[in-house]
Amino acid sequence: MATPDATPELSLVGSQEQEQEKEQDQEQEKEREQDEDQDEESIISLLLSDTEPKGKSHRAPKRVLAFVRVKPTAHFAQDMIRLGSDNKSIEIYIQKSPRGGAVNNSQTDWSFKLDGLLHNASQEMVYETVAKGLVSRALQGYNGTIMCYGQTGAGKTYTMTGTASEYRNRGIIPRAIQQIFKSAAEFLNIMVAVRISYLEIYNEALFDLLAPALGRGCKDNQLSVMDGPQGVYVKGLSIHPGETNRVISEHGLNKNSSRSHCIFTMYIESEGQVRVEASYINKSLSFLEQLVIALADPRREHIPFRQSKLTHVLKDSLGGKCNTVLVTNIYGEAEHVEETLSSLRFATRMNWVTAEPVPNGPFYQEASVKVLEEEIQLLKQELIMQGNLTSHSLMSYNPLTTAQRAEIKSQVQKYLRGVIEEIDEEEVESRLWSKYGLRYMIESGSSSTFDLHVEEEQEHMEGSRSPPPETGQDESSQSKTPSKDLEEEEEEKEEGGDQDSDEEPTIPSSEDSQDLRPPVSKQEAFELFKKESGREIHRIFRDNKRILIDRKKRSHSVAQQINSLKQQMEGIKEALEAHKQKRRQEGEYMDEKGQVIIDEEEFSLILKLKELKEEHRAGFTELQDLKAEIQYCQQLMDKCRKRLISEFEIWYNENVHLPKAVKKALEPGGNIRPGMIPLKRVMCLDEDVQDKFERVQETALPDCPGSVKPSTGPWRPSGKSTGNPDWSRLRGRRKPCPSCPSRSLDPSIPEGMPPQEVPPARIHHRFIKINSRKSEPHNLWAGREL
Ligand SMILES: Nc1ncnc2c1ncn2[C@@H]1O[C@H](COP(=O)(O)OP(=O)(O)OP(=O)(O)O)[C@@H](O)[C@H]1O
């Protein structure tokens, strides 16, 4: 049984044969005395806490933590084993051997100081003391190893796996798995995968305990310990998704376990990257002792890791980048005292082994990286969408290479010399437009605002290279925000209907070839569409997007808040634990109801912890709600995006590709039913036809100031005309001029119709298309004549 009143005494009485060892131990003991007081508490608290101490490098060497667990017994050798009331020291007293004679100076007393004694400790307490901090650190990215060492039957398996019969007696492994999954569940943004392996080393042979067909005794077993760039690993060892119970019960508790060493490893991965390997070793070791002696001696250069499979496998766990905790299981009975002494010596040496744990990358950082990655993904999707809209699915957003520049230059030159009819590359086309500031003209009879917007867009993009609009709009109307502008336009439309007018500034003069307009690019058309027909759906899309971004930001900050609360809670729990320990050591007072009396500080800590827990719970619920909202908004956004694109495609084809007359024919009551003319057959004026038409128009309207001459310029595709225009009819198609009301260019409008009744029409628009698809020579009038 425990001897709580035993005085802790740090003394070392040695025997001759152990003199050398004793000197070394004394030297170390002195050093330890100096460092210990400052160091010990901080090391333990660092290991047991989630947080890094401020101002301290996490690369500072850390000792292996050594705990001793005493197996409960009714025959505790009180006279031989004395447990210190500090719960850290243990003394062994062995009576002098009578064989030693009168001069018997063999050592009889040994005193050991470790990081903690676990006597009559529940499984829960063992886990809290030994493993919880290490697992928390594993979740922050540090590899960790928990080892159990001790005499056969001393309780290693019980400590590691516990008993299957009683839930509360589950051991470190199931509790660690539970803690990992619980913590992972709190980081909803991160997918955490836990995989396991279970290795047995028996007579220097390796066995995969999770490969049913390859258990011990199977000749096919081909496992070997390897040194890899990522550290030591066992080649051929199977790694499984985290369902362990069945297999462990089959293999883990075999009868010969006392002669074997078992290493259970958990690999914690977040989003594909192996983060942590938390290993558990549960068997007594012999080569390990030599290794530990070597590791504990700073003067030793060679560390004999490779002398056994076990020590080789443990290379990264001892003295490496790993947090290591040792539990030494001992018996409390007198008959085992020699073995107990040897186990405690091992524990003390292990306690001197240092390591420099380095994180693989903490989850908390991972969470923020995840948010940024999602943002990048979102932006990429938008870029792809834009690319699709501009038919630039293969568009590269990188600067052009020299070869690409040369290709563009050569194509442009060929095109300008008339060597080629079309510039193949769509990207070349778009760059051409932007380089030469070319504008477009649209065969549109109904959308006056369309042109106006295009003009505004161009101005916006090119820094007001065009002359200001002469539509009578005052300056204030030009400086309106797009949304306000759109609202007012809408109102204007409602009040005055379609205000297509001849005064619009988009009408180019024939002298000014700069104003010649190539066809509208899809990108520009899309911008326009978003402000007009697609305005509502675009608004919804934007609203959803705004909500989505807002929720993502919020969820990120809530996640951070939760993490910080968690850290605070851990801090308070530690403080409470310290209070509890102190209380127990100093003796507890009870009130009349038998309840322990606590001091004010402890009470306020309890209240604070309660408060934090509530906040944590609320934060967690909010995070889950936000997650659901984010998912929902994302779906809505996707739907809106699809709808926006599909409606735009229809709008674009109708407004840009279809000439006015075809559109008119497609209107309800028109003579062409939708679908009769494939939209892909882009209607464009054949160049020859158009040239002739321009000439006819010029001669037909020589002296009418209100008439506008079609533009001429360098954009003359030299396609062969196959059309057969009816010139007599063409002569009749002129733009209605306010001063010449009897003349109309619309074939559907009889001559002499008053101007106010003439539907809006433009003859100065010409359709020039440069793209990789060949469009059939086809003209508006031929279409109408069908
Ligand atoms: N702290 C404890 N409380 C209750 N029972 C214990 C405790 N420690 C060990 N035992 C019991 O003692 C027996 C032996 O323990 P265990 O199998 O864990 O020893 P071991 O060190 O793993 O032995 P071996 O090296 O031979 O495998 C088991 O029945 C176990 O349940």
Side-chain angles (χ1 to χ4, degrees):
M1 291 300 288
T3 52
D5 50 352
T7 320
E9 207 175 14
L10 293 169
S11 62
L12 207 71
V13 184
S15 66
Q16 277 169 345
E17 66 268 21
Q18 290 174 318
E19 207 54 48
Q20 215 179 341
E21 201 178 293
K22 197 183 85 185
E23 272 170 28
Q24 191 188 328
D25 284 350
Q26 278 174 338
E27 217 173 274
Q28 290 177 347
E29 191 61 34
K30 263 187 205 165
E31 286 174 36
R32 173 193 281 217
E33 289 290 336
Q34 287 164 5
D35 298 344
E36 212 160 30
D37 292 341
Q38 310 136 24
D39 226 19
E40 201 160 26
E41 287 306 321
S42 65
I43 288 172
I44 297 171
S45 66
L46 179 63
L47 191 67
L48 297 182
S49 79
D50 273 356
T51 49
E52 208 63 73
K54 284 188 183 67
K56 277 204 174 183
S57 160
H58 54 250
R59 282 173 180 264
K62 286 204 309 187
R63 287 188 289 111
V64 167
L65 291 184
F67 296 90
V68 170
R69 184 178 198 186
V70 188
K71 186 177 172 180
T73 171
H75 311 284
F76 189 83
Q78 293 192 45
D79 50 340
M80 300 178 94
I81 304 170
R82 288 183 195 149
L83 306 176
S85 59
D86 61 351
N87 253 338
K88 286 180 182 172
S89 48
I90 181 168
E91 277 180 60
I92 304 291
Y93 175 74
I94 300 177
Q95 281 187 337
K96 282 180 186 173
S97 162
R99 278 179 289 157
V103 184
N104 188 348
N105 60 354
S106 61
Q107 187 173 347
T108 55
D109 293 284
W110 290 264
S111 180
F112 303 92
K113 188 155 188 191
L114 299 143
D115 293 301
L117 294 183
L118 300 156
H119 184 50
N120 289 331
S122 67
Q123 292 284 70
E124 187 187 352
M125 189 168 176
V126 170
Y127 185 77
E128 296 275 329
T129 315
V130 165
K132 198 175 174 193
L134 183 134
V135 174
S136 294
R137 305 275 288 165
L139 285 165
Q140 291 178 341
Y142 291 87
N143 286 353
T145 300
I146 300 172
M147 302 168 65
C148 280
Y149 174 93
Q151 201 180 341
T152 184
K156 300 179 291 294
T157 310
Y158 182 81
T159 302
M160 273 302 165
T161 58
T163 55
S165 52
E166 251 184 309
Y167 182 69
R168 71 187 171 93
N169 285 338
R170 66 199 185 283
I172 288 174
I173 293 174
R175 285 172 197 269
I177 293 172
Q178 189 179 8
Q179 186 185 340
I180 287 166
F181 280 109
K182 212 172 149 196
S183 301
E186 287 174 21
F187 296 95
L188 296 176
N189 282 340
I190 306 167
M191 266 295 294
V192 176
V194 177
R195 295 183 300 146
I196 55 168
S197 68
Y198 208 174
L199 174 75
E200 182 184 34
I201 303 173
Y202 182 75
N203 284 345
E204 281 300 284
L206 304 168
F207 298 94
D208 186 343
L209 294 180
L210 296 188
L214 298 175
R216 185 190 294 172
C218 179
K219 284 173 188 143
D220 291 343
N221 202 327
Q222 293 290 327
L223 305 181
S224 54
V225 187
M226 311 287 284
D227 280 291
Q230 307 284 322
V232 173
Y233 68 101
V234 179
K235 192 177 164 195
L237 184 67
S238 64
I239 298 172
H240 300 256
E243 41 159 38
T244 62
N245 292 344
R246 182 181 57 82
V247 195
I248 286 174
S249 61
E250 276 174 21
H251 298 285
L253 305 174
N254 57 68
K255 292 288 168 234
N256 297 316
S257 65
S258 62
R259 291 192 299 277
S260 75
H261 312 298
C262 294
I263 302 176
F264 178 86
T265 305
M266 278 196 279
Y267 308 83
I268 308 168
E269 291 171 65
S270 71
E271 303 286 327
Q273 195 190 355
V274 176
R275 283 274 166 247
V276 173
E277 294 172 18
S279 303
Y280 303 90
I281 301 134
N282 79 336
K283 297 299 156 189
S284 61
L285 327 150
S286 63
F287 280 114
L288 188 62
E289 291 186 19
Q290 292 173 31
L291 180 77
V292 168
I293 290 170
L295 280 168
D297 181 356
R299 288 164 294 195
R300 281 286 287 266
E301 278 176 15
H302 175 69
I303 309 294
F305 281 113
R306 284 167 171 272
Q307 66 182 353
S308 75
K309 293 277 190 321
L310 179 72
T311 50
H312 196 179
V313 169
L314 289 178
K315 192 177 161 196
D316 293 338
S317 304
L318 293 168
K321 298 175 182 173
C322 184
N323 286 312
T324 305
V325 175
L326 172 79
V327 179
T328 302
N329 294 90
I330 59 167
Y331 281 97
E333 286 94 346
E335 69 221 70
H336 298 293
V337 74
E338 293 283 349
E339 280 281 358
T340 298
L341 183 61
S342 139
S343 295
L344 290 171
R345 279 190 184 131
F346 177 80
T348 319
R349 289 200 181 101
M350 270 293 272
N351 208 200
W352 277 100
V353 175
T354 55
E356 289 188 13
V358 175
N360 295 314
F363 267 26
Y364 305 142
Q365 279 173 21
E366 192 80 6
S368 55
V369 168
K370 187 79 197 342
V371 169
L372 292 174
E373 277 173 357
E374 280 175 6
E375 194 64 35
I376 290 170
Q377 196 54 36
L378 199 76
L379 293 170
K380 274 186 183 168
Q381 279 172 1
E382 282 192 18
L383 277 178
I384 290 166
M385 188 184 84
Q386 295 279 42
N388 286 339
L389 289 170
T390 50
S391 310
H392 292 168
S393 52
L394 298 173
M395 180 182 267
S396 151
Y397 294 95
N398 297 325
L400 288 174
T401 61
T402 319
Q404 282 172 323
R405 280 173 187 280
E407 173 61 18
I408 290 175
K409 206 170 169 187
S410 134
Q411 286 218 29
V412 171
Q413 279 168 353
K414 281 183 195 163
Y415 179 76
L416 291 173
R417 288 201 308 272
V419 178
I420 54 168
E421 292 175 18
E422 294 177 348
I423 293 177
D424 291 338
E425 297 293 323
E426 289 186 345
E427 195 171 338
V428 173
E429 176 194 8
S430 84
R431 286 178 189 273
L432 200 59
W433 295 140
S434 62
K435 180 166 179 182
Y436 293 101
L438 298 174
R439 299 193 182 170
Y440 49 83
M441 300 167 77
I442 302 161
E443 182 63 41
S444 167
S446 60
S447 176
S448 63
T449 48
F450 190 96
D451 291 325
L452 181 62
H453 277 295
V454 170
E455 186 77 10
E456 284 167 355
E457 286 288 308
Q458 288 289 100
E459 276 177 30
H460 182 66
M461 288 189 298
E462 297 171 16
S464 303
R465 276 179 12 192
S466 330
E470 297 164 13
T471 52
Q473 289 170 326
D474 60 24
E475 276 180 24
S476 63
S477 70
Q478 287 175 43
S479 60
K480 285 170 195 161
T481 62
S483 61
K484 205 171 170 194
D485 195 22
L486 282 165
E487 275 161 27
E488 285 179 17
E489 262 169 40
E490 197 110 295
E491 280 165 23
E492 273 168 31
K493 270 187 208 161
E494 278 165 18
E495 283 165 21
D498 204 340
Q499 295 289 314
D500 188 33
S501 75
D502 296 330
E503 308 109 52
E504 277 188 14
T506 54
I507 301 169
S509 78
S510 59
E511 286 79 28
D512 187 3
S513 63
Q514 277 294 310
D515 281 344
L516 180 70
R517 297 174 170 229
V520 64
S521 79
K522 230 175 174 182
Q523 172 63 47
E524 287 164 320
F526 181 61
E527 291 305 316
L528 186 61
F529 169 76
K530 287 193 292 190
K531 291 176 184 171
E532 294 206 331
S533 319
R535 186 179 156 199
E536 185 56 16
I537 181 80
H538 183 239
R539 186 189 61 74
I540 297 168
F541 175 76
R542 271 203 333 251
D543 284 354
N544 286 336
K545 191 174 163 185
R546 206 170 34 241
I547 294 169
L548 184 66
I549 291 170
D550 176 72
R551 296 299 183 275
K552 278 188 177 172
K553 277 187 192 157
R554 176 76 194 137
S555 110
H556 181 50
S557 79
V558 171
Q560 279 182 328
Q561 221 173 313
I562 289 175
N563 288 342
S564 128
L565 285 170
K566 208 167 161 273
Q567 286 178 359
Q568 288 177 49
M569 276 157 60
E570 291 298 329
I572 292 182
K573 276 183 196 164
E574 268 172 34
L576 278 171
E577 191 52 47
H579 267 273
K580 212 188 279 179
Q581 297 272 8
K582 199 173 153 213
R583 213 181 339 107
R584 279 184 191 151
Q585 281 166 18
E586 290 172 357
E588 291 178 334
Y589 295 96
M590 308 276 182
D591 64 8
E592 58 281 358
K593 287 179 190 162
Q595 284 179 335
V596 180
I597 296 170
I598 55 172
D599 63 20
E600 216 169 291
E601 199 186 335
E602 195 175 345
F603 182 67
S604 65
L605 281 172
I606 292 170
L607 285 183
K608 181 75 189 157
L609 186 64
K610 203 177 158 208
E611 214 173 273
L612 289 173
K613 271 183 182 168
E614 272 165 20
E615 268 184 66
H616 184 268
R617 204 172 300 126
F620 198 68
T621 313
E622 190 185 351
L623 195 63
Q624 276 174 323
D625 290 348
L626 284 166
K627 194 82 190 157
E629 259 190 282
I630 286 170
Q631 212 178 354
Y632 182 64
C633 273
Q634 187 69 60
Q635 282 170 2
L636 284 181
M637 245 186 78
D638 292 345
K639 272 187 197 165
C640 280
R641 182 183 285 126
K642 277 186 194 150
R643 177 124 178 254
L644 193 65
I645 294 170
S646 67
E647 290 200 358
F648 167 70
E649 286 295 339
I650 295 165
W651 177 90
Y652 184 72
N653 284 324
E654 280 180 0
N655 284 279
V656 179
H657 284 172
L658 280 186
K660 176 204 153 198
V662 175
K663 269 191 285 177
K664 198 157 179 56
L666 288 169
E667 277 170 12
N671 56 3
I672 302 175
R673 272 183 291 112
M676 278 176 71
I677 298 177
L679 289 177
K680 282 189 176 173
R681 285 180 71 192
V682 178
M683 306 262 176
C684 64
L685 282 176
D686 180 83
E687 185 66 11
D688 293 349
V689 175
Q690 181 149 340
D691 281 351
K692 285 175 192 168
F693 171 65
E694 285 165 6
R695 258 184 282 114
V696 170
Q697 195 193 22
E698 274 177 44
T699 50
L701 302 167
D703 46 17
C704 174
S707 300
V708 182
K709 195 164 71 176
S711 305
T712 55
W715 303 100
R716 290 165 173 262
S718 53
K720 303 272 179 300
S721 167
T722 54
N724 186 18
D726 180 347
W727 293 107
S728 60
R729 287 175 70 88
L730 275 176
R731 262 180 216 104
R733 290 172 186 142
R734 282 180 297 126
K735 180 177 181 176
C737 167
S739 55
C740 313
S742 63
R743 290 170 180 173
S744 165
L745 282 170
D746 190 315
S748 62
I749 298 170
E751 294 210 356
M753 189 181 255
Q756 63 272 23
E757 292 174 43
V758 177
R762 297 263 175 78
I763 62 161
H764 57 274
H765 287 175
R766 178 164 72 170
F767 220 66
I768 300 171
K769 194 167 188 315
I770 305 175
N771 70 15
S772 51
R773 287 164 301 171
K774 292 233 173 197
S775 53
E776 283 180 43
H778 192 86
N779 70 49
L780 165 66
W781 297 280
R784 286 289 289 151
E785 281 166 3
L786 289 171

